[in-house]
Amino acid sequence: SAVISQKPSRDICQRGTSLTIQCQVDSQVTMMFWYRQQPGQSLTLIATANQGSEATYESGFVIDKFPISRPNLTFSTLTVSNMSPEDSSIYLCSGRDAHEQYFGPGTRLTVT
Amino acid sequence: SQQGEEDPQALSIQEGENATMNCSYKTSINNLQWYRQNSGRGLVHLILIRSNEREKHSGRLRVTLDTSKKSSSLLITASRAADTASYFCATSTSGTYKYIFGTGTRLKVLA
């Protein structure tokens, strides 16, 4: 199985700034994803992080707001740009191999 | 967007009772997974069931899948206070590799 770590675990940011979240997997995974979980809600898929190419975004999410990189099979970053209080949420990184999908512990973001 | 809807949204039972949660989805799937999330914590993978399977067991957990009705159920037998958590189904649809989560069921087991 894969273990996924995220940095930072939490942050408090000011409106209008940007935050980059890092995701590291301890083994190679075929697919990596970013999800958002707003307070008391389920997980919503933001995008699929593609190695060496542009991420594939779900409806309602755009690259200018959530730029994503995945330079190799074990690492990805998600940037939350020009933040507003509505971006306050938990952001989760996920990796998938042939057996199952794994999740990181999440990054709790509060925008003031 | 949510692929699945779960019911009930919330469930409160006594310790020792069984808990059943249902997940309905909209499009054909490759497989379906159930996850648990304790308050403020990460997701824990419980069971994966493939579209050609009808039932799987893991300890006190039993998952069924009915592809004709596009639904799945998670049964937790002899529940414990430690089972208190939110439970989510997640489906991977045919032709894609991504999992879309259901709305979740909040289970509370009273000691």
Coordinates of all heavy atoms in Angstrom, one line a residue, chain A residues 3-88:
Chain A
V3 N 1.6 5.3 1.2 CA 1.4 6.3 2.2 C 1.6 7.7 1.6 O 2.6 7.9 0.9 CB 2.4 6.1 3.4 CG1 2.2 7.2 4.4 CG2 2.2 4.7 4.0
I4 N 0.7 8.5 1.9 CA 0.7 9.8 1.3 C 0.9 10.9 2.4 O 0.1 10.8 3.4 CB -0.6 10.1 0.5 CG1 -0.7 9.1 -0.7 CG2 -0.6 11.5 -0.1 CD1 -1.9 9.2 -1.5
S5 N 1.8 11.8 2.2 CA 2.0 12.9 3.1 C 1.7 14.2 2.4 O 1.9 14.3 1.2 CB 3.4 12.9 3.7 OG 4.3 13.0 2.7
Q6 N 1.3 15.2 3.2 CA 1.0 16.5 2.7 C 1.6 17.6 3.5 O 1.7 17.4 4.8 CB -0.5 16.8 2.6 CG -1.3 16.0 1.6 CD -2.8 16.3 1.5 OE1 -3.6 15.4 1.5 NE2 -3.1 17.6 1.4
K7 N 2.0 18.7 2.9 CA 2.5 19.8 3.6 C 2.0 21.1 3.0 O 1.9 21.2 1.8 CB 4.1 19.9 3.5 CG 4.8 18.8 4.4 CD 6.3 19.1 4.5 CE 7.0 19.1 3.2 NZ 8.5 19.3 3.4
P8 N 1.6 22.1 3.8 CA 1.4 22.0 5.3 C 0.2 21.2 5.7 O -0.7 20.9 4.9 CB 1.3 23.5 5.6 CG 0.6 24.1 4.5 CD 1.1 23.3 3.3
S9 N 0.1 20.9 7.0 CA -1.1 20.2 7.5 C -2.2 21.2 7.6 O -3.4 20.8 7.6 CB -0.8 19.5 8.8 OG -0.3 20.4 9.7
R10 N -1.9 22.4 7.9 CA -2.9 23.5 8.1 C -2.2 24.8 7.9 O -1.0 25.0 8.0 CB -3.6 23.4 9.4 CG -2.7 23.6 10.6 CD -3.5 23.6 11.9 NE -4.2 22.3 12.1 CZ -5.5 22.2 12.5 NH1 -6.2 23.3 12.8 NH2 -6.0 21.0 12.7
D11 N -3.1 25.8 7.5 CA -2.6 27.1 7.3 C -3.7 28.1 7.4 O -4.9 27.8 7.1 CB -1.8 27.3 6.0 CG -0.8 28.4 6.1 OD1 -0.8 29.2 7.0 OD2 0.1 28.4 5.2
I12 N -3.4 29.3 7.9 CA -4.3 30.4 7.9 C -3.8 31.5 7.0 O -2.6 31.9 7.2 CB -4.5 31.0 9.3 CG1 -5.1 29.9 10.2 CG2 -5.5 32.2 9.3 CD1 -5.1 30.3 11.7
C13 N -4.5 31.9 6.0 CA -4.0 32.8 4.9 C -4.9 34.0 4.8 O -6.1 33.9 5.1 CB -3.9 32.1 3.6 SG -2.8 30.6 3.6
Q14 N -4.3 35.0 4.3 CA -5.1 36.3 4.1 C -5.7 36.2 2.7 O -5.2 35.7 1.7 CB -4.3 37.5 4.2 CG -3.8 37.7 5.7 CD -3.3 39.1 5.9 OE1 -3.0 39.8 5.0 NE2 -3.4 39.6 7.1
R15 N -6.9 36.8 2.6 CA -7.6 37.0 1.3 C -6.6 37.6 0.3 O -5.8 38.5 0.6 CB -8.8 37.9 1.6 CG -9.6 38.3 0.4 CD -10.5 39.5 0.8 NE -11.3 39.2 1.9 CZ -12.6 38.9 1.8 NH1 -13.1 38.8 0.6 NH2 -13.3 38.7 2.8
G16 N -6.7 37.1 -0.9 CA -5.9 37.6 -2.0 C -4.5 37.0 -2.2 O -3.9 37.2 -3.2
T17 N -4.1 36.2 -1.2 CA -2.8 35.5 -1.3 C -3.0 34.1 -1.9 O -4.1 33.7 -2.2 CB -2.1 35.4 0.0 OG1 -2.9 34.6 0.9 CG2 -1.9 36.8 0.7
S18 N -1.9 33.4 -2.1 CA -1.9 32.1 -2.7 C -1.1 31.1 -1.8 O -0.2 31.5 -1.1 CB -1.2 32.1 -4.1 OG -1.9 32.9 -5.0
L19 N -1.5 29.9 -1.8 CA -0.9 28.8 -1.0 C -0.6 27.6 -1.9 O -1.5 27.2 -2.6 CB -1.8 28.4 0.2 CG -1.3 27.3 1.0 CD1 -0.1 27.7 1.8 CD2 -2.3 26.7 1.9
T20 N 0.6 27.1 -1.8 CA 0.9 25.8 -2.5 C 1.0 24.7 -1.5 O 1.7 24.8 -0.5 CB 2.2 26.0 -3.3 OG1 2.1 27.0 -4.3 CG2 2.6 24.7 -3.9
I21 N 0.3 23.6 -1.8 CA 0.2 22.4 -1.0 C 1.0 21.4 -1.7 O 0.9 21.1 -2.9 CB -1.2 22.0 -0.8 CG1 -2.1 23.1 -0.2 CG2 -1.3 20.7 0.0 CD1 -3.6 22.8 -0.2
Q22 N 1.9 20.7 -1.0 CA 2.7 19.6 -1.5 C 2.2 18.3 -1.1 O 1.7 18.1 0.0 CB 4.2 19.8 -1.0 CG 4.8 21.1 -1.5 CD 6.3 21.2 -1.0 OE1 6.8 20.2 -0.4 NE2 6.9 22.3 -1.2
C23 N 2.3 17.3 -2.0 CA 1.9 16.0 -1.8 C 3.0 15.0 -2.2 O 3.4 15.1 -3.4 CB 0.6 15.7 -2.6 SG 0.0 14.0 -2.6
Q24 N 3.4 14.1 -1.3 CA 4.4 13.2 -1.6 C 3.9 11.8 -1.3 O 3.3 11.5 -0.2 CB 5.6 13.4 -0.7 CG 6.8 12.5 -0.9 CD 7.5 12.8 -2.2 OE1 7.9 13.9 -2.5 NE2 7.6 11.7 -3.0
V25 N 4.1 10.9 -2.3 CA 3.7 9.5 -2.1 C 5.0 8.6 -1.9 O 6.0 8.9 -2.6 CB 2.9 9.0 -3.3 CG1 2.3 7.6 -3.1 CG2 1.8 10.0 -3.7
D26 N 4.9 7.6 -1.1 CA 6.1 6.9 -0.8 C 6.4 5.8 -1.8 O 7.3 5.0 -1.7 CB 6.0 6.3 0.7 CG 5.0 5.2 0.8 OD1 4.2 5.0 -0.1 OD2 5.1 4.5 1.8
S27 N 5.5 5.6 -2.8 CA 5.7 4.7 -3.8 C 5.1 5.2 -5.1 O 4.2 6.1 -5.0 CB 5.2 3.3 -3.5 OG 3.8 3.4 -3.2
Q28 N 5.4 4.6 -6.2 CA 4.9 5.1 -7.5 C 3.4 4.7 -7.6 O 3.0 3.6 -7.3 CB 5.7 4.5 -8.7 CG 7.1 5.1 -8.7 CD 7.8 4.6 -10.0 OE1 7.2 3.8 -10.8 NE2 9.0 5.1 -10.2
V29 N 2.6 5.7 -8.0 CA 1.2 5.5 -8.2 C 0.9 5.9 -9.7 O 1.6 6.8 -10.2 CB 0.3 6.3 -7.3 CG1 0.4 5.7 -5.9 CG2 0.7 7.8 -7.2
T30 N -0.1 5.3 -10.3 CA -0.4 5.6 -11.7 C -1.1 6.9 -11.8 O -0.9 7.6 -12.7 CB -1.2 4.4 -12.3 OG1 -2.3 4.2 -11.4 CG2 -0.4 3.2 -12.4
M31 N -2.0 7.1 -10.8 CA -2.8 8.3 -10.9 C -2.7 9.1 -9.6 O -2.6 8.6 -8.6 CB -4.3 8.0 -11.1 CG -4.6 7.0 -12.3 SD -4.4 7.7 -13.9 CE -5.8 8.8 -14.0
M32 N -2.8 10.4 -9.8 CA -2.9 11.3 -8.6 C -4.0 12.3 -8.8 O -4.3 12.7 -9.9 CB -1.6 12.1 -8.4 CG -0.4 11.2 -7.9 SD 1.1 12.1 -7.5 CE 0.7 12.8 -5.9
F33 N -4.7 12.6 -7.7 CA -5.9 13.5 -7.7 C -5.8 14.5 -6.6 O -5.2 14.2 -5.5 CB -7.1 12.6 -7.6 CG -7.3 11.5 -8.5 CD1 -6.8 10.2 -8.2 CD2 -7.9 11.6 -9.8 CE1 -6.9 9.1 -9.1 CE2 -8.0 10.6 -10.7 CZ -7.5 9.3 -10.3
W34 N -6.6 15.5 -6.8 CA -6.8 16.5 -5.7 C -8.3 16.7 -5.5 O -9.0 16.8 -6.4 CB -6.2 17.9 -6.0 CG -4.7 17.9 -6.0 CD1 -3.8 17.7 -7.0 CD2 -3.9 18.1 -4.8 NE1 -2.5 17.7 -6.5 CE2 -2.5 18.0 -5.2 CE3 -4.2 18.3 -3.4 CZ2 -1.5 18.1 -4.3 CZ3 -3.1 18.5 -2.5 CH2 -1.8 18.4 -3.0
Y35 N -8.6 16.6 -4.2 CA -10.0 16.8 -3.8 C -10.1 17.9 -2.8 O -9.2 18.3 -2.1 CB -10.5 15.5 -3.0 CG -10.7 14.3 -3.9 CD1 -9.7 13.5 -4.2 CD2 -12.0 13.9 -4.3 CE1 -9.9 12.3 -5.0 CE2 -12.2 12.8 -5.1 CZ -11.1 12.0 -5.4 OH -11.4 10.9 -6.2
R36 N -11.3 18.4 -2.7 CA -11.7 19.5 -1.7 C -12.8 18.9 -0.8 O -13.8 18.3 -1.3 CB -12.1 20.8 -2.4 CG -12.4 21.9 -1.4 CD -12.6 23.2 -2.1 NE -13.9 23.2 -2.8 CZ -14.3 24.2 -3.6 NH1 -13.5 25.3 -3.8 NH2 -15.4 24.2 -4.2
Q37 N -12.7 19.2 0.5 CA -13.8 18.8 1.4 C -14.2 20.0 2.2 O -13.4 20.4 3.1 CB -13.4 17.6 2.3 CG -14.6 17.1 3.1 CD -14.2 15.9 3.9 OE1 -13.1 15.7 4.2 NE2 -15.2 15.1 4.2
Q38 N -15.3 20.6 1.9 CA -15.8 21.8 2.7 C -16.4 21.3 4.0 O -16.8 20.1 4.1 CB -16.7 22.6 1.9 CG -15.9 23.2 0.7 CD -16.8 24.1 -0.2 OE1 -17.8 23.7 -0.7 NE2 -16.3 25.3 -0.4
P39 N -16.4 22.1 5.0 CA -16.8 21.7 6.4 C -18.2 20.9 6.3 O -19.2 21.4 5.8 CB -17.0 23.0 7.1 CG -16.0 23.9 6.5 CD -16.0 23.5 5.0
G40 N -18.2 19.7 6.9 CA -19.4 19.0 7.0 C -19.9 18.4 5.7 O -21.0 17.8 5.6
Q41 N -19.1 18.4 4.7 CA -19.5 18.0 3.3 C -18.7 16.8 2.9 O -17.7 16.3 3.5 CB -19.3 19.1 2.3 CG -20.1 20.4 2.6 CD -21.6 20.2 2.6 OE1 -22.1 19.6 1.7 NE2 -22.2 20.7 3.6
S42 N -19.1 16.2 1.7 CA -18.3 15.1 1.1 C -17.1 15.7 0.4 O -16.9 16.9 0.3 CB -19.3 14.3 0.2 OG -18.6 13.2 -0.3
L43 N -16.4 14.8 -0.3 CA -15.3 15.2 -1.1 C -15.7 15.5 -2.5 O -16.5 14.8 -3.1 CB -14.2 14.0 -1.1 CG -13.4 13.8 0.1 CD1 -14.1 13.2 1.2 CD2 -12.2 13.0 -0.3
T44 N -15.1 16.6 -3.0 CA -15.4 17.0 -4.4 C -14.0 16.9 -5.2 O -13.0 17.5 -4.7 CB -15.9 18.4 -4.5 OG1 -17.2 18.4 -3.8 CG2 -16.2 18.8 -5.9
L45 N -14.0 16.2 -6.3 CA -12.8 16.1 -7.1 C -12.5 17.4 -7.8 O -13.4 17.9 -8.5 CB -13.0 15.0 -8.1 CG -11.8 14.7 -9.0 CD1 -10.6 14.2 -8.2 CD2 -12.2 13.6 -10.1
I46 N -11.3 17.9 -7.6 CA -10.9 19.1 -8.3 C -10.3 18.8 -9.6 O -10.7 19.4 -10.6 CB -9.8 19.9 -7.4 CG1 -10.4 20.3 -6.1 CG2 -9.3 21.1 -8.2 CD1 -9.4 20.9 -5.1
A47 N -9.3 17.9 -9.6 CA -8.6 17.6 -10.9 C -7.8 16.3 -10.7 O -7.5 15.9 -9.6 CB -7.7 18.8 -11.3
T48 N -7.5 15.8 -11.9 CA -6.5 14.7 -12.0 C -5.2 15.3 -12.4 O -5.1 16.0 -13.4 CB -6.9 13.7 -13.1 OG1 -8.2 13.2 -12.8 CG2 -6.0 12.5 -13.2
A49 N -4.1 15.0 -11.6 CA -2.8 15.5 -11.8 C -2.1 14.6 -12.8 O -1.9 13.4 -12.5 CB -2.0 15.7 -10.5
N50 N -1.7 15.1 -13.9 CA -1.1 14.2 -15.0 C 0.4 14.5 -15.0 O 0.9 15.6 -14.9 CB -1.7 14.6 -16.3 CG -3.2 14.3 -16.4 OD1 -3.6 13.3 -16.0 ND2 -3.9 15.3 -16.9
Q51 N 1.2 13.4 -15.0 CA 2.6 13.6 -15.0 C 3.1 14.3 -16.2 O 2.8 13.8 -17.3 CB 3.3 12.2 -14.8 CG 4.8 12.3 -14.6 CD 5.5 11.1 -15.0 OE1 4.9 10.0 -15.2 NE2 6.9 11.1 -15.0
G52 N 3.8 15.4 -16.1 CA 4.5 16.0 -17.2 C 3.5 16.7 -18.1 O 4.0 17.2 -19.2
S53 N 2.3 16.9 -17.8 CA 1.4 17.6 -18.7 C 0.3 18.3 -17.8 O 0.3 18.1 -16.6 CB 0.7 16.7 -19.7 OG -0.1 15.7 -19.0
E54 N -0.5 19.1 -18.5 CA -1.5 19.9 -17.7 C -2.5 18.9 -17.0 O -2.9 17.9 -17.6 CB -2.2 20.8 -18.7 CG -3.1 21.8 -18.1 CD -3.6 22.8 -19.2 OE1 -2.8 23.6 -19.7 OE2 -4.8 22.8 -19.4
A55 N -3.0 19.4 -15.9 CA -4.0 18.6 -15.1 C -5.3 18.6 -15.8 O -5.6 19.5 -16.7 CB -4.1 19.2 -13.7
T56 N -6.1 17.6 -15.5 CA -7.5 17.6 -16.1 C -8.5 18.0 -15.0 O -8.6 17.3 -14.0 CB -7.8 16.1 -16.5 OG1 -6.8 15.7 -17.5 CG2 -9.2 16.1 -17.2
Y57 N -9.2 19.1 -15.3 CA -10.0 19.7 -14.2 C -11.5 19.3 -14.4 O -12.0 19.1 -15.5 CB -9.9 21.2 -14.3 CG -8.6 21.8 -13.9 CD1 -7.5 21.8 -14.7 CD2 -8.3 22.1 -12.5 CE1 -6.2 22.2 -14.3 CE2 -7.1 22.6 -12.1 CZ -6.0 22.6 -13.0 OH -4.8 23.0 -12.6
E58 N -12.1 19.2 -13.2 CA -13.5 18.9 -13.2 C -14.3 20.1 -13.4 O -13.8 21.3 -13.3 CB -13.9 18.2 -11.8 CG -13.2 16.9 -11.6 CD -13.6 15.8 -12.6 OE1 -14.8 15.6 -12.8 OE2 -12.7 15.3 -13.3
S59 N -15.6 19.9 -13.7 CA -16.5 21.1 -14.0 C -16.5 22.0 -12.7 O -16.6 21.5 -11.6 CB -17.9 20.6 -14.3 OG -18.8 21.6 -14.4
G60 N -16.3 23.3 -12.9 CA -16.3 24.2 -11.8 C -15.0 24.6 -11.3 O -14.9 25.5 -10.4
F61 N -13.9 23.9 -11.8 CA -12.6 24.2 -11.3 C -11.7 24.6 -12.5 O -11.8 23.9 -13.6 CB -12.0 23.0 -10.6 CG -12.7 22.6 -9.4 CD1 -13.7 21.6 -9.4 CD2 -12.5 23.3 -8.2 CE1 -14.4 21.3 -8.2 CE2 -13.2 22.9 -7.0 CZ -14.1 21.9 -7.0
V62 N -10.9 25.6 -12.4 CA -10.1 26.1 -13.5 C -8.6 26.2 -13.1 O -8.3 26.4 -12.0 CB -10.6 27.4 -14.1 CG1 -12.0 27.3 -14.7 CG2 -10.6 28.5 -13.0
I63 N -7.8 26.1 -14.1 CA -6.3 26.1 -13.9 C -5.8 27.4 -13.3 O -4.9 27.4 -12.5 CB -5.6 25.8 -15.2 CG1 -4.1 25.6 -15.0 CG2 -5.8 26.8 -16.3 CD1 -3.4 25.1 -16.2
D64 N -6.4 28.5 -13.7 CA -6.0 29.8 -13.1 C -6.1 29.9 -11.6 O -5.4 30.5 -10.9 CB -6.7 31.0 -13.8 CG -6.3 31.1 -15.3 OD1 -5.3 30.5 -15.7 OD2 -7.0 31.8 -16.0
K65 N -7.2 29.3 -11.1 CA -7.5 29.3 -9.7 C -6.7 28.2 -9.0 O -6.3 28.4 -7.8 CB -9.0 29.1 -9.5 CG -9.5 29.0 -8.1 CD -9.3 30.4 -7.3 CE -9.8 30.3 -5.9 NZ -9.6 31.5 -5.2
F66 N -6.6 27.0 -9.6 CA -6.0 25.9 -8.9 C -4.9 25.2 -9.8 O -5.1 24.1 -10.3 CB -7.1 24.8 -8.6 CG -8.1 25.2 -7.7 CD1 -9.4 25.6 -8.1 CD2 -7.9 25.3 -6.3 CE1 -10.4 26.0 -7.3 CE2 -8.9 25.7 -5.4 CZ -10.2 26.1 -5.9
P67 N -3.8 25.9 -10.0 CA -2.8 25.3 -10.8 C -2.2 24.1 -10.1 O -2.0 24.1 -8.9 CB -1.7 26.5 -11.0 CG -2.1 27.5 -10.0 CD -3.5 27.3 -9.7
I68 N -1.9 23.1 -10.9 CA -1.4 21.8 -10.4 C -0.2 21.4 -11.2 O -0.1 21.5 -12.4 CB -2.5 20.7 -10.5 CG1 -3.7 21.0 -9.5 CG2 -2.0 19.3 -10.3 CD1 -4.9 20.1 -9.7
S69 N 0.8 20.9 -10.4 CA 1.9 20.3 -11.1 C 2.1 18.8 -10.7 O 1.7 18.5 -9.6 CB 3.2 21.1 -10.8 OG 3.7 20.8 -9.5
R70 N 2.7 18.0 -11.5 CA 3.1 16.7 -11.2 C 4.3 16.3 -12.0 O 4.2 15.7 -13.0 CB 2.0 15.7 -11.4 CG 2.3 14.3 -10.9 CD 1.3 13.2 -11.2 NE 1.7 11.9 -10.8 CZ 1.2 10.8 -11.1 NH1 0.1 10.8 -11.9 NH2 1.6 9.6 -10.7
P71 N 5.5 16.7 -11.4 CA 6.7 16.5 -12.2 C 7.2 15.0 -12.3 O 7.9 14.7 -13.2 CB 7.7 17.3 -11.4 CG 7.2 17.4 -10.0 CD 5.7 17.4 -10.2
N72 N 6.7 14.2 -11.4 CA 7.1 12.7 -11.4 C 6.0 11.9 -10.9 O 4.9 12.4 -10.5 CB 8.4 12.5 -10.7 CG 8.4 13.0 -9.2 OD1 7.5 12.6 -8.5 ND2 9.3 13.8 -8.8
L73 N 6.2 10.6 -10.7 CA 5.2 9.7 -10.3 C 4.8 9.7 -8.8 O 3.9 9.0 -8.4 CB 5.6 8.2 -10.7 CG 5.6 8.0 -12.2 CD1 6.1 6.6 -12.5 CD2 4.1 8.1 -12.8
T74 N 5.6 10.4 -8.0 CA 5.4 10.4 -6.6 C 5.1 11.8 -6.0 O 5.0 11.9 -4.7 CB 6.6 9.7 -5.9 OG1 7.7 10.6 -6.1 CG2 6.8 8.3 -6.4
F75 N 5.1 12.8 -6.7 CA 5.0 14.2 -6.2 C 4.0 15.0 -7.0 O 4.0 15.0 -8.2 CB 6.4 14.8 -6.1 CG 6.4 16.2 -5.5 CD1 6.4 16.3 -4.1 CD2 6.4 17.3 -6.2 CE1 6.4 17.5 -3.4 CE2 6.5 18.6 -5.6 CZ 6.5 18.7 -4.2
S76 N 3.2 15.8 -6.3 CA 2.3 16.8 -6.9 C 2.2 18.0 -6.0 O 2.3 17.9 -4.8 CB 1.0 16.1 -7.2 OG 0.1 17.0 -7.8
T77 N 1.8 19.1 -6.6 CA 1.5 20.3 -5.9 C 0.2 20.9 -6.4 O -0.2 20.8 -7.6 CB 2.6 21.4 -6.0 OG1 2.6 21.9 -7.3 CG2 3.9 20.9 -5.5
L78 N -0.6 21.5 -5.5 CA -1.8 22.2 -5.8 C -1.6 23.6 -5.2 O -1.3 23.8 -4.0 CB -3.0 21.5 -5.1 CG -4.3 22.3 -5.1 CD1 -4.9 22.4 -6.5 CD2 -5.3 21.7 -4.1
T79 N -1.9 24.6 -6.0 CA -1.8 26.0 -5.6 C -3.3 26.5 -5.5 O -4.0 26.3 -6.5 CB -1.0 26.9 -6.5 OG1 0.4 26.4 -6.4 CG2 -1.0 28.3 -6.0
V80 N -3.6 27.1 -4.4 CA -4.9 27.8 -4.3 C -4.6 29.3 -4.5 O -3.9 29.9 -3.6 CB -5.6 27.5 -3.0 CG1 -7.0 28.1 -3.0 CG2 -5.7 26.0 -2.8
S81 N -5.1 29.9 -5.6 CA -4.6 31.2 -6.0 C -5.7 32.3 -5.6 O -6.9 32.0 -5.6 CB -4.4 31.3 -7.5 OG -3.4 30.4 -7.9
N82 N -5.2 33.5 -5.3 CA -6.1 34.6 -5.1 C -7.2 34.2 -4.1 O -8.4 34.3 -4.5 CB -6.6 35.2 -6.4 CG -7.4 36.5 -6.2 OD1 -7.2 37.2 -5.2 ND2 -8.3 36.7 -7.1
M83 N -6.8 33.7 -3.0 CA -7.8 33.1 -2.1 C -8.9 34.1 -1.5 O -8.6 35.2 -1.3 CB -7.1 32.5 -0.9 CG -6.3 31.2 -1.3 SD -5.5 30.4 0.1 CE -4.1 31.5 0.3
S84 N -10.0 33.5 -1.3 CA -11.1 34.2 -0.7 C -11.7 33.3 0.5 O -11.3 32.1 0.5 CB -12.3 34.4 -1.7 OG -12.8 33.2 -2.1
P85 N -12.5 33.8 1.4 CA -13.0 33.0 2.5 C -13.7 31.7 2.0 O -13.7 30.7 2.7 CB -13.9 33.9 3.2 CG -13.3 35.3 3.0 CD -12.8 35.2 1.6
E86 N -14.3 31.7 0.8 CA -15.0 30.6 0.3 C -14.0 29.4 -0.1 O -14.5 28.3 -0.2 CB -15.7 31.0 -1.0 CG -16.9 31.9 -0.8 CD -16.5 33.3 -0.5 OE1 -15.4 33.8 -1.0 OE2 -17.2 33.9 0.4
D87 N -12.7 29.7 -0.1 CA -11.7 28.6 -0.4 C -11.4 27.9 0.9 O -10.6 26.9 0.9 CB -10.5 29.2 -1.0 CG -10.8 29.8 -2.4 OD1 -11.5 29.1 -3.1 OD2 -10.2 30.9 -2.7
S88 N -11.9 28.4 2.0 CA -11.6 27.7 3.3 C -12.2 26.3 3.2 O -13.4 26.1 3.0 CB -12.2 28.4 4.5 OG -11.6 29.7 4.6

